[in-house]
Structures are given as C-alpha cells and as structure tokens.
Coordinates of all heavy atoms in Angstrom, one line a residue:
P1 N -141.8 -241.5 19.1 CA -142.0 -240.3 19.8 C -140.7 -239.6 20.3 O -140.6 -238.4 20.3 CB -142.9 -240.7 21.0 CG -143.5 -242.0 20.6 CD -142.6 -242.6 19.6
V2 N -139.7 -240.4 20.6 CA -138.5 -239.8 21.1 C -137.7 -239.1 20.0 O -137.3 -238.0 20.1 CB -137.6 -240.9 21.7 CG1 -136.2 -240.4 22.1 CG2 -138.2 -241.5 22.9
L3 N -137.7 -239.7 18.8 CA -137.0 -239.1 17.7 C -137.8 -237.9 17.2 O -137.2 -236.9 16.9 CB -137.0 -240.1 16.5 CG -136.2 -239.6 15.2 CD1 -134.8 -239.2 15.6 CD2 -136.3 -240.7 14.2
E4 N -139.1 -237.9 17.3 CA -139.9 -236.7 16.9 C -139.6 -235.6 17.9 O -139.5 -234.4 17.5 CB -141.4 -237.1 16.9 CG -142.3 -235.9 16.6 CD -143.8 -236.2 16.6 OE1 -144.1 -237.4 16.9 OE2 -144.5 -235.3 16.3
T5 N -139.5 -235.9 19.2 CA -139.2 -234.9 20.2 C -137.9 -234.3 19.9 O -137.7 -233.1 20.0 CB -139.3 -235.5 21.6 OG1 -140.6 -236.0 21.8 CG2 -139.0 -234.4 22.7
Y6 N -136.9 -235.1 19.6 CA -135.5 -234.7 19.3 C -135.6 -233.7 18.1 O -135.0 -232.6 18.2 CB -134.6 -235.9 19.0 CG -133.3 -235.5 18.6 CD1 -132.3 -235.2 19.5 CD2 -132.9 -235.5 17.2 CE1 -131.0 -234.8 19.1 CE2 -131.7 -235.1 16.8 CZ -130.7 -234.8 17.7 OH -129.5 -234.4 17.3
C7 N -136.3 -234.1 17.1 CA -136.3 -233.3 15.9 C -137.0 -231.9 16.1 O -136.6 -230.9 15.7 CB -137.1 -234.0 14.7 SG -136.2 -235.4 14.1
R8 N -138.1 -232.0 16.9 CA -138.7 -230.7 17.3 C -137.8 -229.8 18.1 O -137.8 -228.6 17.9 CB -140.0 -231.0 18.0 CG -141.1 -231.5 17.2 CD -142.4 -231.8 18.0 NE -143.4 -232.4 17.3 CZ -144.4 -231.8 16.6 NH1 -144.5 -230.5 16.6 NH2 -145.3 -232.5 15.9
A9 N -137.1 -230.4 19.0 CA -136.2 -229.6 19.8 C -135.0 -229.0 19.0 O -134.7 -227.8 19.2 CB -135.6 -230.5 21.0
V10 N -134.5 -229.7 18.0 CA -133.5 -229.2 17.1 C -134.1 -228.0 16.3 O -133.5 -227.0 16.2 CB -132.9 -230.3 16.2 CG1 -132.1 -229.7 15.1 CG2 -132.1 -231.3 17.0
W11 N -135.3 -228.2 15.8 CA -136.0 -227.2 15.1 C -136.2 -225.9 15.9 O -136.0 -224.8 15.5 CB -137.4 -227.7 14.6 CG -138.2 -226.6 13.9 CD1 -138.1 -226.1 12.7 CD2 -139.3 -225.9 14.6 NE1 -139.0 -225.1 12.5 CE2 -139.7 -225.0 13.7 CE3 -139.8 -226.0 15.9 CZ2 -140.8 -224.1 14.0 CZ3 -140.9 -225.1 16.2 CH2 -141.3 -224.2 15.2
M12 N -136.7 -226.1 17.2 CA -136.9 -225.0 18.1 C -135.6 -224.3 18.4 O -135.6 -223.0 18.4 CB -137.5 -225.5 19.4 CG -137.8 -224.4 20.4 SD -138.9 -223.1 19.8 CE -140.4 -223.9 19.9
S13 N -134.5 -225.0 18.6 CA -133.2 -224.4 18.9 C -132.8 -223.5 17.7 O -132.3 -222.4 17.8 CB -132.2 -225.4 19.2 OG -130.9 -224.9 19.4
R14 N -133.0 -224.0 16.5 CA -132.6 -223.3 15.3 C -133.5 -222.1 15.1 O -133.0 -221.0 14.7 CB -132.6 -224.2 14.1 CG -131.5 -225.2 14.1 CD -131.5 -226.1 12.9 NE -130.4 -227.1 13.0 CZ -130.3 -228.1 12.2 NH1 -131.1 -228.3 11.2 NH2 -129.2 -228.9 12.4
T15 N -134.8 -222.2 15.3 CA -135.7 -221.1 15.2 C -135.3 -220.0 16.2 O -135.3 -218.8 15.9 CB -137.1 -221.6 15.4 OG1 -137.4 -222.6 14.5 CG2 -138.1 -220.4 15.3
C16 N -135.0 -220.4 17.4 CA -134.6 -219.4 18.5 C -133.3 -218.7 18.1 O -133.2 -217.5 18.3 CB -134.5 -220.1 19.8 SG -136.1 -220.6 20.5
A17 N -132.4 -219.5 17.6 CA -131.1 -218.9 17.1 C -131.3 -217.8 16.1 O -130.7 -216.8 16.1 CB -130.2 -220.0 16.6
A18 N -132.2 -218.1 15.1 CA -132.6 -217.1 14.1 C -133.2 -215.9 14.7 O -132.9 -214.8 14.3 CB -133.5 -217.8 13.1
A19 N -134.1 -216.1 15.7 CA -134.7 -214.9 16.3 C -133.7 -214.1 17.1 O -133.7 -212.8 17.0 CB -135.8 -215.4 17.3
I20 N -132.8 -214.7 17.7 CA -131.7 -214.0 18.5 C -130.8 -213.3 17.5 O -130.4 -212.1 17.7 CB -130.9 -215.0 19.3 CG1 -131.8 -215.5 20.5 CG2 -129.7 -214.3 19.9 CD1 -131.2 -216.6 21.3
E21 N -130.5 -213.9 16.4 CA -129.7 -213.3 15.3 C -130.4 -212.0 14.8 O -129.8 -211.0 14.5 CB -129.4 -214.3 14.2 CG -128.3 -213.8 13.3 CD -127.9 -214.9 12.3 OE1 -127.6 -216.0 12.8 OE2 -127.9 -214.6 11.1
E22 N -131.7 -212.1 14.6 CA -132.5 -211.0 14.0 C -132.7 -209.9 15.0 O -132.5 -208.7 14.7 CB -133.8 -211.5 13.5 CG -134.7 -210.5 12.9 CD -136.0 -211.0 12.3 OE1 -136.1 -212.2 12.1 OE2 -136.8 -210.1 12.0
Y23 N -133.1 -210.2 16.2 CA -133.4 -209.2 17.2 C -132.4 -208.9 18.3 O -132.5 -207.9 19.0 CB -134.7 -209.6 17.9 CG -135.9 -209.7 17.0 CD1 -136.4 -211.0 16.6 CD2 -136.5 -208.6 16.4 CE1 -137.4 -211.1 15.7 CE2 -137.6 -208.7 15.6 CZ -138.0 -210.0 15.2 OH -139.1 -210.1 14.3
G24 N -131.4 -209.8 18.4 CA -130.3 -209.6 19.3 C -130.6 -210.3 20.6 O -131.7 -210.8 20.9
V25 N -129.6 -210.3 21.5 CA -129.7 -211.0 22.8 C -130.5 -210.2 23.7 O -131.3 -210.8 24.5 CB -128.3 -211.2 23.4 CG1 -128.3 -211.9 24.7 CG2 -127.4 -212.1 22.5
L26 N -130.5 -208.9 23.6 CA -131.4 -208.1 24.4 C -132.4 -207.4 23.6 O -132.2 -207.0 22.4 CB -130.5 -207.0 25.1 CG -129.4 -207.5 26.1 CD1 -128.6 -206.3 26.6 CD2 -130.0 -208.2 27.2
V27 N -133.6 -207.3 24.1 CA -134.7 -206.7 23.4 C -135.4 -205.6 24.3 O -135.2 -205.6 25.5 CB -135.8 -207.7 22.9 CG1 -135.3 -208.6 21.9 CG2 -136.4 -208.5 24.1
R28 N -136.1 -204.7 23.7 CA -136.7 -203.6 24.5 C -138.1 -204.1 25.0 O -138.9 -204.6 24.2 CB -136.9 -202.4 23.7 CG -135.6 -201.8 23.3 CD -135.4 -200.5 23.9 NE -134.1 -199.9 23.5 CZ -133.3 -199.4 24.3 NH1 -133.5 -199.4 25.6 NH2 -132.1 -198.9 23.9
A29 N -138.4 -203.9 26.3 CA -139.7 -204.2 26.8 C -140.6 -203.0 26.5 O -140.2 -202.0 25.9 CB -139.5 -204.4 28.3
K30 N -141.9 -203.1 27.0 CA -142.8 -202.1 26.7 C -142.4 -200.8 27.4 O -142.7 -199.7 26.8 CB -144.2 -202.5 27.3 CG -144.9 -203.5 26.5 CD -146.3 -203.8 27.0 CE -146.9 -205.0 26.2 NZ -148.3 -205.3 26.7
D31 N -141.7 -200.8 28.5 CA -141.2 -199.6 29.1 C -139.9 -199.2 28.6 O -139.2 -198.3 29.2 CB -141.2 -199.8 30.7 CG -140.2 -200.9 31.1 OD1 -139.6 -201.5 30.2 OD2 -140.1 -201.1 32.3
L32 N -139.5 -199.7 27.5 CA -138.2 -199.4 26.7 C -137.0 -199.8 27.5 O -135.9 -199.5 27.1 CB -138.2 -197.9 26.4 CG -139.3 -197.4 25.5 CD1 -139.1 -196.0 25.2 CD2 -139.4 -198.2 24.2
Q33 N -137.1 -200.6 28.5 CA -135.9 -201.1 29.2 C -135.5 -202.4 28.5 O -136.2 -203.1 27.9 CB -136.3 -201.5 30.7 CG -136.7 -200.4 31.6 CD -135.5 -199.5 31.9 OE1 -134.4 -200.0 32.0 NE2 -135.7 -198.2 31.9
L34 N -134.2 -202.6 28.5 CA -133.6 -203.8 27.9 C -133.9 -205.0 28.7 O -133.8 -204.9 30.0 CB -132.1 -203.6 27.6 CG -131.7 -202.6 26.5 CD1 -130.2 -202.5 26.5 CD2 -132.2 -203.1 25.2
K35 N -134.2 -206.1 28.1 CA -134.4 -207.3 28.8 C -133.9 -208.5 27.9 O -133.7 -208.3 26.7 CB -135.9 -207.6 29.2 CG -136.8 -207.8 28.0 CD -138.2 -208.2 28.4 CE -138.9 -208.7 27.2 NZ -140.2 -209.3 27.6
P36 N -133.6 -209.6 28.5 CA -133.1 -210.7 27.7 C -134.1 -211.2 26.7 O -135.3 -211.2 27.0 CB -132.8 -211.8 28.8 CG -132.7 -211.1 30.1 CD -133.6 -209.9 30.0
N37 N -133.7 -211.5 25.5 CA -134.6 -212.0 24.5 C -135.2 -213.3 25.0 O -134.4 -214.3 25.4 CB -133.8 -212.2 23.2 CG -134.7 -212.6 22.0 OD1 -135.7 -213.1 22.2 ND2 -134.2 -212.2 20.9
P38 N -136.5 -213.5 25.0 CA -137.1 -214.7 25.5 C -136.7 -215.9 24.7 O -136.7 -217.1 25.2 CB -138.6 -214.5 25.3 CG -138.8 -213.0 25.3 CD -137.5 -212.5 24.7
A39 N -136.3 -215.7 23.5 CA -135.8 -216.8 22.6 C -134.6 -217.5 23.2 O -134.3 -218.7 23.0 CB -135.5 -216.3 21.2
A40 N -133.8 -216.7 24.0 CA -132.6 -217.3 24.6 C -132.9 -218.4 25.6 O -132.3 -219.4 25.6 CB -131.7 -216.2 25.2
A41 N -133.9 -218.1 26.4 CA -134.3 -219.1 27.4 C -134.9 -220.3 26.7 O -134.7 -221.5 27.1 CB -135.3 -218.5 28.4
M42 N -135.7 -220.1 25.7 CA -136.3 -221.2 24.9 C -135.3 -222.0 24.3 O -135.3 -223.3 24.2 CB -137.3 -220.6 23.9 CG -138.5 -220.0 24.5 SD -139.6 -219.1 23.3 CE -140.0 -220.4 22.1
M43 N -134.2 -221.4 23.7 CA -133.2 -222.1 23.1 C -132.4 -222.9 24.1 O -132.0 -224.1 23.8 CB -132.2 -221.1 22.3 CG -131.2 -221.8 21.5 SD -130.2 -220.8 20.4 CE -129.1 -220.0 21.6
A44 N -132.1 -222.4 25.3 CA -131.4 -223.2 26.3 C -132.2 -224.4 26.7 O -131.6 -225.5 26.8 CB -131.2 -222.3 27.5
K45 N -133.5 -224.3 26.8 CA -134.3 -225.5 27.1 C -134.3 -226.5 26.0 O -134.2 -227.7 26.2 CB -135.7 -225.1 27.5 CG -135.8 -224.5 28.8 CD -137.3 -224.3 29.2 CE -137.3 -223.6 30.6 NZ -138.5 -224.1 31.4
A46 N -134.4 -226.0 24.8 CA -134.4 -226.9 23.6 C -133.0 -227.6 23.5 O -133.0 -228.8 23.2 CB -134.7 -226.1 22.3
N47 N -131.9 -226.9 23.8 CA -130.6 -227.5 23.7 C -130.4 -228.6 24.8 O -129.7 -229.6 24.6 CB -129.5 -226.4 23.8 CG -129.4 -225.6 22.5 OD1 -129.9 -226.0 21.5 ND2 -128.8 -224.4 22.6
E48 N -131.0 -228.3 25.9 CA -131.0 -229.4 27.0 C -131.7 -230.6 26.5 O -131.1 -231.7 26.8 CB -131.6 -228.8 28.3 CG -130.8 -227.8 29.0 CD -131.6 -227.2 30.2 OE1 -132.6 -227.8 30.6 OE2 -131.2 -226.1 30.7
I49 N -132.8 -230.5 25.9 CA -133.6 -231.6 25.4 C -132.8 -232.4 24.3 O -132.7 -233.6 24.3 CB -135.0 -231.2 24.9 CG1 -135.8 -230.7 26.1 CG2 -135.6 -232.3 24.2 CD1 -137.1 -230.0 25.6
V50 N -132.2 -231.6 23.4 CA -131.4 -232.2 22.3 C -130.2 -233.0 22.9 O -130.0 -234.1 22.5 CB -130.9 -231.1 21.4 CG1 -129.8 -231.6 20.5 CG2 -132.0 -230.5 20.6
A51 N -129.5 -232.4 23.9 CA -128.4 -233.1 24.5 C -128.8 -234.4 25.2 O -128.1 -235.4 25.1 CB -127.6 -232.2 25.4
R52 N -129.9 -234.3 26.0 CA -130.3 -235.4 26.7 C -130.8 -236.6 25.8 O -130.4 -237.7 26.0 CB -131.4 -235.1 27.7 CG -131.8 -236.2 28.6 CD -132.9 -235.8 29.6 NE -134.2 -235.9 28.9 CZ -135.0 -234.9 28.7 NH1 -134.7 -233.7 29.2 NH2 -136.1 -235.0 28.0
L53 N -131.6 -236.2 24.8 CA -132.1 -237.3 23.9 C -131.0 -237.8 23.0 O -131.0 -239.0 22.7 CB -133.3 -236.7 23.1 CG -134.5 -236.4 23.9 CD1 -135.6 -235.8 23.0 CD2 -135.0 -237.6 24.6
A54 N -130.0 -237.0 22.6 CA -128.9 -237.5 21.8 C -128.1 -238.5 22.6 O -127.7 -239.5 22.0 CB -128.1 -236.3 21.3
A55 N -127.9 -238.2 23.9 CA -127.2 -239.2 24.7 C -128.0 -240.5 24.9 O -127.5 -241.6 24.8 CB -126.9 -238.6 26.0
D56 N -129.3 -240.3 25.1 CA -130.2 -241.5 25.3 C -130.2 -242.4 24.0 O -130.2 -243.6 24.1 CB -131.6 -241.1 25.6 CG -131.7 -240.5 27.0 OD1 -130.7 -240.6 27.8 OD2 -132.8 -240.0 27.4
M57 N -130.2 -241.7 22.9 CA -130.3 -242.5 21.6 C -128.9 -242.9 21.1 O -128.8 -243.6 20.1 CB -131.0 -241.6 20.5 CG -132.5 -241.4 20.8 SD -133.4 -240.6 19.5 CE -132.6 -239.0 19.5
G58 N -127.9 -242.4 21.8 CA -126.5 -242.8 21.4 C -126.0 -242.1 20.1 O -125.2 -242.6 19.4
I59 N -126.6 -240.9 19.8 CA -126.1 -240.2 18.6 C -125.2 -239.0 18.9 O -124.8 -238.4 18.0 CB -127.4 -239.8 17.8 CG1 -128.3 -238.8 18.6 CG2 -128.1 -240.9 17.2 CD1 -129.4 -238.3 17.8
S60 N -124.9 -238.8 20.1 CA -123.9 -237.8 20.5 C -122.5 -238.4 20.5 O -122.4 -239.6 20.8 CB -124.3 -237.1 21.8 OG -124.0 -238.0 22.9
A61 N -121.5 -237.5 20.3 CA -120.2 -238.0 20.3 C -119.8 -238.6 21.6 O -119.1 -239.6 21.7 CB -119.2 -236.9 19.9
A62 N -120.2 -237.9 22.7 CA -119.9 -238.4 24.0 C -120.5 -239.8 24.3 O -119.9 -240.6 24.9 CB -120.4 -237.4 25.1
S63 N -121.8 -240.0 23.9 CA -122.4 -241.2 24.2 C -121.8 -242.4 23.3 O -121.7 -243.5 23.8 CB -123.9 -241.2 23.9 OG -124.2 -240.9 22.6
R64 N -121.3 -242.0 22.1 CA -120.7 -243.0 21.3 C -119.3 -243.4 21.9 O -119.0 -244.6 22.0 CB -120.5 -242.5 19.9 CG -121.7 -242.5 19.0 CD -121.5 -242.3 17.6 NE -120.7 -241.1 17.3 CZ -121.2 -239.9 17.1 NH1 -122.5 -239.7 17.1 NH2 -120.5 -238.8 16.9
N65 N -118.6 -242.4 22.4 CA -117.3 -242.7 23.0 C -117.5 -243.5 24.3 O -116.8 -244.4 24.6 CB -116.6 -241.4 23.3 CG -116.0 -240.8 22.1 OD1 -115.9 -241.4 21.1 ND2 -115.8 -239.5 22.1
S66 N -118.5 -243.2 25.1 CA -118.8 -243.9 26.3 C -119.2 -245.4 26.0 O -118.7 -246.3 26.7 CB -120.0 -243.2 27.0 OG -120.5 -244.0 28.0
S67 N -120.0 -245.6 25.0 CA -120.3 -247.0 24.6 C -119.1 -247.7 24.1 O -118.9 -248.9 24.4 CB -121.3 -246.9 23.4 OG -122.5 -246.3 23.9
A68 N -118.2 -247.1 23.4 CA -117.0 -247.8 22.9 C -116.1 -248.2 24.1 O -115.5 -249.2 24.1 CB -116.2 -246.9 22.0
I69 N -116.0 -247.3 25.1 CA -115.2 -247.6 26.3 C -115.8 -248.7 27.0 O -115.0 -249.6 27.5 CB -115.1 -246.3 27.2 CG1 -114.2 -245.3 26.4 CG2 -114.5 -246.6 28.5 CD1 -114.2 -243.9 27.1
K70 N -117.1 -248.7 27.2 CA -117.7 -249.8 27.9 C -117.5 -251.2 27.2 O -117.4 -252.2 27.8 CB -119.2 -249.5 28.1 CG -119.5 -248.4 29.1 CD -121.0 -248.2 29.2 CE -121.3 -247.0 30.0 NZ -122.7 -246.6 30.0
A71 N -117.6 -251.1 25.9 CA -117.4 -252.4 25.1 C -116.0 -253.0 25.3 O -115.8 -254.2 25.2 CB -117.7 -252.1 23.6
Q72 N -115.0 -252.1 25.4 CA -113.6 -252.6 25.6 C -113.5 -253.2 26.9 O -112.7 -254.0 27.2 CB -112.6 -251.5 25.3 CG -112.6 -251.0 23.9 CD -111.7 -249.8 23.7 OE1 -111.1 -249.3 24.7 NE2 -111.5 -249.4 22.5

C-alpha cells in the first residue's frame, strides 16, 4: 500500500504539472477574475506525499545519504 500511494502521488504530481502547463498558474474564475490554478495546490500536496514516502522508503537522495552517515 505504501508503494502504491507513492506511485499515485507521483502520477498526481505529473498530471497537475501537465494541467498547469496547459492552463497556466493562474486561471479565470466564473467572474473572470484571475485565481490560482487548483492544480497547483493539488501538486503541492502530492509532492509532499512523494517526499515523505520517498524518505520513509529510503529512495530519496537525502534518506540514502542519511543512512550512509548513520552506518559510518
């Protein structure tokens, strides 16, 4: 389940990045005012999950370096 959650978060982050690339960082609301693209907030949450799970699973560069330091 942890690996699946990690994979879904990576997928969500990439999907949000594509939406931001297509529509921009700011989008028009119904009243034609500019507002932040909702995909930006979703991508931030997905990236937080990716970073946390990568550290937990030891697959991030920082967690690998931390493990090597502890081993020495």
Side-chain angles (χ1 to χ4, degrees):
V2 174
L3 182 59
E4 181 180 0
T5 301
Y6 174 83
C7 292
R8 286 179 189 266
V10 169
W11 172 81
M12 178 61 72
S13 179
R14 290 181 181 169
T15 301
C16 291
I20 292 168
E21 192 172 309
E22 182 175 346
Y23 298 105
V25 176
L26 299 175
V27 295
R28 296 245 180 230
K30 288 183 182 181
D31 61 0
L32 300 180
Q33 295 291 322
L34 289 175
K35 68 174 192 170
N37 189 332
M42 292 171 59
M43 186 169 77
K45 287 189 179 213
N47 287 341
E48 288 174 17
I49 293 168
V50 168
R52 189 181 77 241
L53 292 179
D56 287 351
M57 292 187 292
I59 59 176
S60 69
S63 65
R64 285 192 304 270
N65 288 339
S66 166
S67 298
I69 291 170
K70 288 178 186 174
Q72 291 176 356

